[in-house]
């Protein structure tokens, strides 16, 4: 079962992805984590993207799509993908569809965790203290939220009329969101 978790930074995608990994034995595909690894390992990609990441801007579609391609075409992960933070642009959404078709896969469920700016700010402030992420200062948070809202509208439109699209109130408690997702997945 392939699943997309979609929603602004701080909506709880990562937490729900980890729950699904535990429950289903699937693979979490977090482009944020993959990009942070590139920076940590000081790769060529890492050097190119560090400023974008620290400023809360989106990384180039080509870079992100290439990272995702390796995962989608990995036979061990086929049909067991939980996308967390990807796709974020229309180009990425369309490329993902092509990659899935070419690897004989589809998206079974899309979950949009919808949450207000106020709640996201509170949550990211908490996460900043716990995880000490360098891109988590308040200005970056606001920039990331605004970038997200501007850029992902077309992605939301692209997915929202599909039959496998589900909107969930991301302001609910973690367990409540998990229950809603599990009910829809019937797991
Ligand atoms: P995240 O951990 O998903 O909140 O992502 C952290 C940062 O990584 C974002 O603010 C972007 O700079 C970058 N990033 C993550 N995923 C993507 C993506 N799909 N497209 C472009 N940039 C991304």
């Amino acid at each position: 079962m392939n699943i997309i978790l979609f929603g602004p930074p701080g909506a709880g995608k990562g937490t729900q992805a980890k729950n699904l990994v535990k429950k289903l034995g699937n693979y979490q595909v977090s482009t944020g984590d993959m990009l942070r690894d590139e920076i940590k390992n000081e790769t060529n990609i890492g050097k190119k993207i560090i400023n974008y990441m620290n400023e809360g801007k989106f990384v180039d579609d080509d870079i992100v799509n290439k990272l995702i391609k390796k995962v989608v075409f990995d036979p061990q992960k086929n049909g067991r993908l939980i996308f967390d933070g990807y796709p974020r642009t229309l180009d990425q959404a369309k490329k993902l569809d092509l990659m899935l078709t070419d690897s004989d896969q589809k998206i079974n469920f899309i979950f949009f965790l919808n949450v207000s700016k106020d709640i996201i700010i509170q949550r990211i402030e908490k996460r900043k203290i716990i995880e000490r992420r360098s891109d988590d200062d308040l200005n970056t948070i606001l920039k990331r939220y605004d970038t997200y809202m501007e850029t992902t509208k077309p992605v939301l439109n692209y997915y929202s009329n599909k039959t496998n699209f589900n909107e969930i109130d991301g302001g609910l408690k973690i367990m409540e969101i998990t229950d809603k997702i599990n009910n829809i997945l019937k797991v």
Side-chain angles (χ1 to χ4, degrees):
M1 175 153 45
N2 291 325
I3 296 168
I4 292 178
L5 294 170
F6 185 70
K13 301 185 296 290
T15 307
Q16 296 303 331
K18 287 187 176 69
N19 284 342
L20 288 169
V21 166
K22 262 194 223 150
K23 184 122 198 153
L24 305 171
N26 282 21
Y27 292 91
Q28 179 181 6
V29 186
S30 159
T31 40
D33 285 350
M34 291 162 99
L35 294 166
R36 278 185 287 277
D37 278 349
E38 296 288 333
I39 294 175
K40 201 171 74 192
N41 296 331
E42 297 180 356
T43 64
N44 285 339
I45 291 179
K47 285 172 196 151
K48 265 191 215 162
I49 64 174
I50 188 161
N51 291 335
Y52 285 92
M53 295 272 293
N54 284 337
E55 287 168 24
K57 290 182 188 155
F58 281 8
V59 171
D60 229 47
D61 285 336
D62 279 351
I63 293 177
V64 182
N65 288 332
K66 266 188 203 135
L67 291 176
I68 285 289
K69 193 171 177 186
K70 284 188 203 153
V71 181
V72 171
F73 285 91
D74 180 342
Q76 283 206 319
K77 298 182 178 164
N78 191 297
R80 300 167 73 191
L81 304 168
I82 313 242
F83 293 98
D84 157 18
Y86 179 92
R88 261 169 155 103
T89 66
L90 197 53
D91 177 78
Q92 293 177 13
K94 289 184 174 171
K95 284 273 155 49
L96 177 61
D97 275 352
L98 288 177
M99 287 188 253
L100 289 169
T101 305
D102 286 350
S103 58
D104 209 11
Q105 301 182 70
K106 63 175 183 171
I107 294 297
N108 302 86
F109 293 91
I110 301 162
F111 292 103
F112 172 45
L113 305 185
N114 196 1
V115 65
S116 76
K117 193 171 184 172
D118 283 350
I119 290 182
I120 283 166
I121 291 172
Q122 287 168 23
R123 284 184 183 169
I124 299 189
E125 282 286 285
K126 254 195 221 159
R127 187 168 75 186
K128 183 179 156 186
I129 297 163
I130 298 166
E131 293 182 15
R132 294 169 185 276
R133 275 172 52 170
S134 63
D135 59 349
D136 270 356
D137 72 81
L138 192 61
N139 280 339
T140 310
I141 292 164
L142 297 178
K143 175 87 191 152
R144 284 168 69 204
Y145 185 90
D146 291 339
T147 308
Y148 186 89
M149 291 319 248
E150 275 163 36
T151 323
T152 56
K153 240 180 238 158
V155 185
L156 190 56
N157 292 340
Y158 184 72
Y159 285 132
S160 60
N161 55 4
K162 296 198 191 270
T163 50
N164 58 2
F165 177 88
N166 301 275
E167 180 166 344
I168 293 186
D169 178 1
L172 294 172
K173 294 200 179 100
I174 291 173
M175 276 301 293
E176 292 171 326
I177 298 176
T178 305
D179 284 347
K180 280 191 185 285
I181 291 177
N182 290 346
N183 277 341
I184 293 168
L185 297 178
K186 299 191 171 65
V187 293

